[in-house]
mmCIF file of all heavy atoms in Angstrom:
data_model
loop_
_atom_site.group_PDB
_atom_site.id
_atom_site.type_symbol
_atom_site.label_atom_id
_atom_site.label_comp_id
_atom_site.label_asym_id
_atom_site.label_seq_id
_atom_site.Cartn_x
_atom_site.Cartn_y
_atom_site.Cartn_z
ATOM 1 N N THR T 65 -2.600 30.907 -5.075
ATOM 2 C CA THR T 65 -3.793 31.746 -5.002
ATOM 3 C C THR T 65 -4.357 32.035 -6.373
ATOM 4 O O THR T 65 -5.459 32.553 -6.513
ATOM 5 C CB THR T 65 -3.454 33.086 -4.326
ATOM 6 O OG1 THR T 65 -2.454 33.744 -5.102
ATOM 7 C CG2 THR T 65 -2.966 32.874 -2.917
ATOM 8 N N GLY T 66 -3.581 31.738 -7.416
ATOM 9 C CA GLY T 66 -4.026 32.037 -8.765
ATOM 10 C C GLY T 66 -3.493 33.356 -9.283
ATOM 11 O O GLY T 66 -3.655 33.690 -10.452
ATOM 12 N N GLU T 67 -2.825 34.145 -8.421
ATOM 13 C CA GLU T 67 -2.274 35.432 -8.840
ATOM 14 C C GLU T 67 -0.948 35.211 -9.573
ATOM 15 O O GLU T 67 -0.139 34.382 -9.170
ATOM 16 C CB GLU T 67 -2.056 36.330 -7.626
ATOM 17 C CG GLU T 67 -3.343 36.699 -6.901
ATOM 18 C CD GLU T 67 -4.291 37.476 -7.788
ATOM 19 O OE1 GLU T 67 -3.803 38.320 -8.577
ATOM 20 O OE2 GLU T 67 -5.507 37.243 -7.725
ATOM 21 N N PRO T 68 -0.692 35.957 -10.655
ATOM 22 C CA PRO T 68 0.563 35.768 -11.396
ATOM 23 C C PRO T 68 1.758 36.284 -10.620
ATOM 24 O O PRO T 68 1.652 37.160 -9.773
ATOM 25 C CB PRO T 68 0.336 36.576 -12.680
ATOM 26 C CG PRO T 68 -0.661 37.622 -12.286
ATOM 27 C CD PRO T 68 -1.562 36.969 -11.272
ATOM 28 N N THR T 69 2.934 35.736 -10.924
ATOM 29 C CA THR T 69 4.192 36.171 -10.335
ATOM 30 C C THR T 69 5.125 36.573 -11.465
ATOM 31 O O THR T 69 4.776 36.528 -12.644
ATOM 32 C CB THR T 69 4.839 35.038 -9.531
ATOM 33 O OG1 THR T 69 5.250 34.019 -10.438
ATOM 34 C CG2 THR T 69 3.879 34.435 -8.526
ATOM 35 N N GLU T 70 6.357 36.909 -11.091
ATOM 36 C CA GLU T 70 7.364 37.157 -12.121
ATOM 37 C C GLU T 70 7.683 35.866 -12.858
ATOM 38 O O GLU T 70 7.449 34.776 -12.362
ATOM 39 C CB GLU T 70 8.650 37.673 -11.469
ATOM 40 C CG GLU T 70 8.534 39.023 -10.788
ATOM 41 C CD GLU T 70 9.885 39.460 -10.259
ATOM 42 O OE1 GLU T 70 10.751 39.818 -11.074
ATOM 43 O OE2 GLU T 70 10.078 39.423 -9.033
ATOM 44 N N SER T 71 8.226 36.009 -14.071
ATOM 45 C CA SER T 71 8.674 34.831 -14.808
ATOM 46 C C SER T 71 9.713 34.084 -13.976
ATOM 47 O O SER T 71 10.554 34.690 -13.313
ATOM 48 C CB SER T 71 9.272 35.236 -16.150
ATOM 49 O OG SER T 71 8.270 35.795 -16.977
ATOM 50 N N MET T 72 9.656 32.733 -14.031
ATOM 51 C CA MET T 72 10.517 31.908 -13.197
ATOM 52 C C MET T 72 11.827 31.580 -13.905
ATOM 53 O O MET T 72 11.897 31.505 -15.123
ATOM 54 C CB MET T 72 9.800 30.599 -12.842
ATOM 55 C CG MET T 72 8.473 30.797 -12.121
ATOM 56 S SD MET T 72 8.667 31.696 -10.579
ATOM 57 C CE MET T 72 9.783 30.592 -9.726
ATOM 58 N N HIS T 73 12.874 31.382 -13.108
ATOM 59 C CA HIS T 73 14.141 30.896 -13.645
ATOM 60 C C HIS T 73 13.901 29.506 -14.228
ATOM 61 O O HIS T 73 13.195 28.685 -13.631
ATOM 62 C CB HIS T 73 15.187 30.841 -12.529
ATOM 63 C CG HIS T 73 16.571 30.617 -13.027
ATOM 64 N ND1 HIS T 73 17.014 29.378 -13.449
ATOM 65 C CD2 HIS T 73 17.619 31.477 -13.187
ATOM 66 C CE1 HIS T 73 18.280 29.488 -13.832
ATOM 67 N NE2 HIS T 73 18.664 30.750 -13.687
ATOM 68 N N PRO T 74 14.449 29.165 -15.387
ATOM 69 C CA PRO T 74 14.166 27.881 -16.037
ATOM 70 C C PRO T 74 14.542 26.658 -15.215
ATOM 71 O O PRO T 74 14.002 25.574 -15.443
ATOM 72 C CB PRO T 74 14.972 27.947 -17.345
ATOM 73 C CG PRO T 74 15.967 29.047 -17.150
ATOM 74 C CD PRO T 74 15.319 30.016 -16.217
ATOM 75 N N ASP T 75 15.490 26.793 -14.270
ATOM 76 C CA ASP T 75 15.866 25.658 -13.431
ATOM 77 C C ASP T 75 14.926 25.485 -12.243
ATOM 78 O O ASP T 75 15.045 24.519 -11.494
ATOM 79 C CB ASP T 75 17.297 25.829 -12.910
ATOM 80 C CG ASP T 75 18.330 25.727 -14.023
ATOM 81 O OD1 ASP T 75 18.014 25.093 -15.051
ATOM 82 O OD2 ASP T 75 19.428 26.289 -13.861
ATOM 83 N N ALA T 76 14.030 26.440 -12.045
ATOM 84 C CA ALA T 76 13.224 26.445 -10.834
ATOM 85 C C ALA T 76 11.784 26.002 -11.041
ATOM 86 O O ALA T 76 11.073 25.751 -10.065
ATOM 87 C CB ALA T 76 13.230 27.849 -10.223
ATOM 88 N N ALA T 77 11.343 25.898 -12.267
ATOM 89 C CA ALA T 77 9.939 25.523 -12.515
ATOM 90 C C ALA T 77 9.836 24.633 -13.741
ATOM 91 O O ALA T 77 10.410 24.932 -14.796
ATOM 92 C CB ALA T 77 9.092 26.770 -12.702
ATOM 93 N N ARG T 78 9.139 23.546 -13.577
ATOM 94 C CA ARG T 78 8.860 22.648 -14.690
ATOM 95 C C ARG T 78 7.390 22.268 -14.655
ATOM 96 O O ARG T 78 6.731 22.378 -13.620
ATOM 97 C CB ARG T 78 9.741 21.391 -14.635
ATOM 98 C CG ARG T 78 11.176 21.656 -15.029
ATOM 99 C CD ARG T 78 12.028 20.406 -15.102
ATOM 100 N NE ARG T 78 13.321 20.709 -15.662
ATOM 101 C CZ ARG T 78 13.646 20.572 -16.943
ATOM 102 N NH1 ARG T 78 12.743 20.099 -17.802
ATOM 103 N NH2 ARG T 78 14.849 20.882 -17.381
ATOM 104 N N GLY T 79 6.905 21.807 -15.785
ATOM 105 C CA GLY T 79 5.501 21.435 -15.796
ATOM 106 C C GLY T 79 5.036 20.944 -17.137
ATOM 107 O O GLY T 79 5.834 20.573 -18.011
ATOM 108 N N LEU T 80 3.739 20.948 -17.271
ATOM 109 C CA LEU T 80 3.086 20.468 -18.480
ATOM 110 C C LEU T 80 1.897 21.378 -18.712
ATOM 111 O O LEU T 80 1.047 21.541 -17.825
ATOM 112 C CB LEU T 80 2.635 19.016 -18.294
ATOM 113 C CG LEU T 80 2.132 18.248 -19.503
ATOM 114 C CD1 LEU T 80 3.293 17.964 -20.465
ATOM 115 C CD2 LEU T 80 1.499 16.929 -19.060
ATOM 116 N N LEU T 81 1.867 21.997 -19.874
ATOM 117 C CA LEU T 81 0.741 22.857 -20.186
ATOM 118 C C LEU T 81 -0.514 22.015 -20.396
ATOM 119 O O LEU T 81 -0.447 20.817 -20.690
ATOM 120 C CB LEU T 81 1.046 23.685 -21.434
ATOM 121 C CG LEU T 81 2.249 24.638 -21.318
ATOM 122 C CD1 LEU T 81 2.450 25.397 -22.630
ATOM 123 C CD2 LEU T 81 2.065 25.606 -20.159
ATOM 124 N N ARG T 82 -1.644 22.648 -20.231
ATOM 125 C CA ARG T 82 -2.931 21.947 -20.349
ATOM 126 C C ARG T 82 -2.981 21.148 -21.644
ATOM 127 O O ARG T 82 -2.720 21.673 -22.729
ATOM 128 C CB ARG T 82 -4.058 22.982 -20.322
ATOM 129 C CG ARG T 82 -5.436 22.375 -20.290
ATOM 130 C CD ARG T 82 -6.505 23.452 -20.229
ATOM 131 N NE ARG T 82 -6.451 24.207 -18.973
ATOM 132 C CZ ARG T 82 -7.425 25.014 -18.586
ATOM 133 N NH1 ARG T 82 -8.499 25.185 -19.345
ATOM 134 N NH2 ARG T 82 -7.323 25.669 -17.440
ATOM 135 N N ARG T 83 -3.315 19.864 -21.531
ATOM 136 C CA ARG T 83 -3.340 18.993 -22.708
ATOM 137 C C ARG T 83 -4.290 17.831 -22.518
ATOM 138 O O ARG T 83 -4.675 17.478 -21.394
ATOM 139 C CB ARG T 83 -1.942 18.460 -23.012
ATOM 140 C CG ARG T 83 -1.303 17.649 -21.889
ATOM 141 C CD ARG T 83 -0.178 16.776 -22.404
ATOM 142 N NE ARG T 83 -0.696 15.686 -23.214
ATOM 143 C CZ ARG T 83 0.062 14.885 -23.966
ATOM 144 N NH1 ARG T 83 1.370 15.099 -24.035
ATOM 145 N NH2 ARG T 83 -0.478 13.903 -24.666
ATOM 146 N N ASP T 84 -4.674 17.237 -23.650
ATOM 147 C CA ASP T 84 -5.512 16.043 -23.620
ATOM 148 C C ASP T 84 -4.656 14.836 -23.241
ATOM 149 O O ASP T 84 -3.436 14.838 -23.390
ATOM 150 C CB ASP T 84 -6.141 15.783 -24.992
ATOM 151 C CG ASP T 84 -7.106 16.881 -25.406
ATOM 152 O OD1 ASP T 84 -7.605 17.590 -24.512
ATOM 153 O OD2 ASP T 84 -7.341 17.043 -26.622
ATOM 154 N N ALA T 85 -5.337 13.804 -22.770
ATOM 155 C CA ALA T 85 -4.657 12.556 -22.428
ATOM 156 C C ALA T 85 -5.637 11.411 -22.560
ATOM 157 O O ALA T 85 -6.853 11.618 -22.624
ATOM 158 C CB ALA T 85 -4.116 12.628 -20.996
ATOM 159 N N HIS T 86 -5.092 10.203 -22.634
ATOM 160 C CA HIS T 86 -5.948 9.023 -22.533
ATOM 161 C C HIS T 86 -6.528 8.986 -21.119
ATOM 162 O O HIS T 86 -5.989 9.591 -20.194
ATOM 163 C CB HIS T 86 -5.151 7.752 -22.816
ATOM 164 C CG HIS T 86 -4.606 7.675 -24.205
ATOM 165 N ND1 HIS T 86 -5.414 7.642 -25.328
ATOM 166 C CD2 HIS T 86 -3.325 7.641 -24.663
ATOM 167 C CE1 HIS T 86 -4.657 7.580 -26.408
ATOM 168 N NE2 HIS T 86 -3.385 7.583 -26.042
ATOM 169 N N ARG T 87 -7.587 8.269 -20.939
ATOM 170 C CA ARG T 87 -8.278 8.256 -19.645
ATOM 171 C C ARG T 87 -7.362 7.777 -18.529
ATOM 172 O O ARG T 87 -6.561 6.860 -18.705
ATOM 173 C CB ARG T 87 -9.527 7.367 -19.721
ATOM 174 C CG ARG T 87 -10.603 7.926 -20.629
ATOM 175 C CD ARG T 87 -11.786 7.008 -20.758
ATOM 176 N NE ARG T 87 -12.532 6.911 -19.506
ATOM 177 C CZ ARG T 87 -13.782 6.433 -19.442
ATOM 178 N NH1 ARG T 87 -14.395 6.009 -20.545
ATOM 179 N NH2 ARG T 87 -14.401 6.369 -18.284
ATOM 180 N N PHE T 88 -7.488 8.427 -17.392
ATOM 181 C CA PHE T 88 -6.715 8.075 -16.209
ATOM 182 C C PHE T 88 -7.505 8.494 -14.982
ATOM 183 O O PHE T 88 -8.471 9.257 -15.065
ATOM 184 C CB PHE T 88 -5.339 8.763 -16.228
ATOM 185 C CG PHE T 88 -5.418 10.270 -16.175
ATOM 186 C CD1 PHE T 88 -5.324 10.962 -14.966
ATOM 187 C CD2 PHE T 88 -5.595 11.016 -17.342
ATOM 188 C CE1 PHE T 88 -5.400 12.337 -14.916
ATOM 189 C CE2 PHE T 88 -5.680 12.407 -17.301
ATOM 190 C CZ PHE T 88 -5.577 13.070 -16.077
ATOM 191 N N SER T 89 -7.091 8.002 -13.803
ATOM 192 C CA SER T 89 -7.791 8.337 -12.563
ATOM 193 C C SER T 89 -6.865 8.711 -11.419
ATOM 194 O O SER T 89 -7.342 9.147 -10.371
ATOM 195 C CB SER T 89 -8.677 7.159 -12.114
ATOM 196 O OG SER T 89 -9.703 6.903 -13.053
ATOM 197 N N LEU T 90 -5.569 8.504 -11.579
ATOM 198 C CA LEU T 90 -4.604 8.804 -10.523
ATOM 199 C C LEU T 90 -3.389 9.468 -11.141
ATOM 200 O O LEU T 90 -2.962 9.109 -12.246
ATOM 201 C CB LEU T 90 -4.217 7.524 -9.785
ATOM 202 C CG LEU T 90 -3.233 7.645 -8.623
ATOM 203 C CD1 LEU T 90 -3.717 6.834 -7.409
ATOM 204 C CD2 LEU T 90 -1.857 7.157 -9.043
ATOM 205 N N VAL T 91 -2.821 10.460 -10.423
ATOM 206 C CA VAL T 91 -1.701 11.243 -10.931
ATOM 207 C C VAL T 91 -0.570 11.234 -9.906
ATOM 208 O O VAL T 91 -0.805 11.327 -8.697
ATOM 209 C CB VAL T 91 -2.124 12.706 -11.183
ATOM 210 C CG1 VAL T 91 -0.956 13.505 -11.765
ATOM 211 C CG2 VAL T 91 -3.321 12.775 -12.106
ATOM 212 N N GLY T 92 0.659 11.139 -10.394
ATOM 213 C CA GLY T 92 1.834 11.283 -9.547
ATOM 214 C C GLY T 92 2.973 11.833 -10.367
ATOM 215 O O GLY T 92 2.922 11.836 -11.603
ATOM 216 N N VAL T 93 4.003 12.311 -9.697
ATOM 217 C CA VAL T 93 5.195 12.818 -10.378
ATOM 218 C C VAL T 93 6.397 12.036 -9.874
ATOM 219 O O VAL T 93 6.554 11.811 -8.661
ATOM 220 C CB VAL T 93 5.388 14.326 -10.128
ATOM 221 C CG1 VAL T 93 6.761 14.796 -10.605
ATOM 222 C CG2 VAL T 93 4.291 15.112 -10.848
ATOM 223 N N ILE T 94 7.248 11.594 -10.790
ATOM 224 C CA ILE T 94 8.432 10.811 -10.435
ATOM 225 C C ILE T 94 9.678 11.477 -11.009
ATOM 226 O O ILE T 94 9.593 12.364 -11.863
ATOM 227 C CB ILE T 94 8.333 9.363 -10.936
ATOM 228 C CG1 ILE T 94 8.308 9.318 -12.469
ATOM 229 C CG2 ILE T 94 7.102 8.676 -10.367
ATOM 230 C CD1 ILE T 94 8.420 7.913 -13.042
ATOM 231 N N TRP T 95 10.859 11.040 -10.531
ATOM 232 C CA TRP T 95 12.137 11.534 -11.044
ATOM 233 C C TRP T 95 13.169 10.427 -10.928
ATOM 234 O O TRP T 95 12.926 9.373 -10.318
ATOM 235 C CB TRP T 95 12.563 12.800 -10.318
ATOM 236 C CG TRP T 95 12.604 12.717 -8.820
ATOM 237 C CD1 TRP T 95 13.653 12.399 -8.017
ATOM 238 C CD2 TRP T 95 11.500 12.983 -7.926
ATOM 239 N NE1 TRP T 95 13.293 12.439 -6.694
ATOM 240 C CE2 TRP T 95 11.976 12.801 -6.605
ATOM 241 C CE3 TRP T 95 10.163 13.362 -8.114
ATOM 242 C CZ2 TRP T 95 11.167 12.973 -5.474
ATOM 243 C CZ3 TRP T 95 9.359 13.533 -6.993
ATOM 244 C CH2 TRP T 95 9.862 13.353 -5.693
ATOM 245 N N ASP T 96 14.353 10.661 -11.507
ATOM 246 C CA ASP T 96 15.331 9.589 -11.686
ATOM 247 C C ASP T 96 15.926 9.044 -10.388
ATOM 248 O O ASP T 96 16.002 7.836 -10.193
ATOM 249 C CB ASP T 96 16.475 10.061 -12.588
ATOM 250 C CG ASP T 96 16.023 10.343 -14.006
ATOM 251 O OD1 ASP T 96 14.962 9.825 -14.404
ATOM 252 O OD2 ASP T 96 16.731 11.093 -14.715
ATOM 253 N N ASP T 97 16.402 9.921 -9.523
ATOM 254 C CA ASP T 97 17.190 9.524 -8.354
ATOM 255 C C ASP T 97 16.290 9.349 -7.136
ATOM 256 O O ASP T 97 15.714 10.315 -6.620
ATOM 257 C CB ASP T 97 18.259 10.574 -8.073
ATOM 258 C CG ASP T 97 19.213 10.174 -6.951
ATOM 259 O OD1 ASP T 97 19.026 9.095 -6.354
ATOM 260 O OD2 ASP T 97 20.151 10.952 -6.673
ATOM 261 N N ALA T 98 16.194 8.112 -6.647
ATOM 262 C CA ALA T 98 15.342 7.831 -5.489
ATOM 263 C C ALA T 98 15.845 8.515 -4.230
ATOM 264 O O ALA T 98 15.081 8.723 -3.281
ATOM 265 C CB ALA T 98 15.253 6.317 -5.257
ATOM 266 N N ASP T 99 17.128 8.859 -4.184
ATOM 267 C CA ASP T 99 17.698 9.511 -2.999
ATOM 268 C C ASP T 99 17.565 11.028 -3.037
ATOM 269 O O ASP T 99 17.853 11.700 -2.050
ATOM 270 C CB ASP T 99 19.171 9.132 -2.841
ATOM 271 C CG ASP T 99 19.354 7.651 -2.528
ATOM 272 O OD1 ASP T 99 18.517 7.102 -1.790
ATOM 273 O OD2 ASP T 99 20.312 7.049 -3.045
ATOM 274 N N ALA T 100 17.154 11.566 -4.183
ATOM 275 C CA ALA T 100 16.991 13.019 -4.306
ATOM 276 C C ALA T 100 15.604 13.419 -3.816
ATOM 277 O O ALA T 100 14.616 12.756 -4.120
ATOM 278 C CB ALA T 100 17.172 13.446 -5.759
ATOM 279 N N GLU T 101 15.553 14.498 -3.054
ATOM 280 C CA GLU T 101 14.262 15.003 -2.570
ATOM 281 C C GLU T 101 13.818 16.191 -3.408
ATOM 282 O O GLU T 101 14.640 16.981 -3.889
ATOM 283 C CB GLU T 101 14.367 15.401 -1.099
ATOM 284 C CG GLU T 101 14.560 14.218 -0.172
ATOM 285 C CD GLU T 101 14.318 14.601 1.282
ATOM 286 O OE1 GLU T 101 13.418 15.432 1.535
ATOM 287 O OE2 GLU T 101 15.030 14.075 2.147
#
Side-chain angles (χ1 to χ4, degrees):
T65 60
E67 296 298 322
T69 68
E70 295 183 72
S71 294
M72 302 301 300
H73 191 284
D75 292 336
R78 286 185 172 265
L80 190 70
L81 298 180
R82 186 179 294 193
R83 59 160 290 169
D84 295 338
H86 296 297
R87 293 177 68 163
F88 63 95
S89 296
L90 181 134
V91 182
V93 169
I94 65 171
W95 53 93
D96 294 339
D97 186 358
D99 294 323
E101 291 194 36

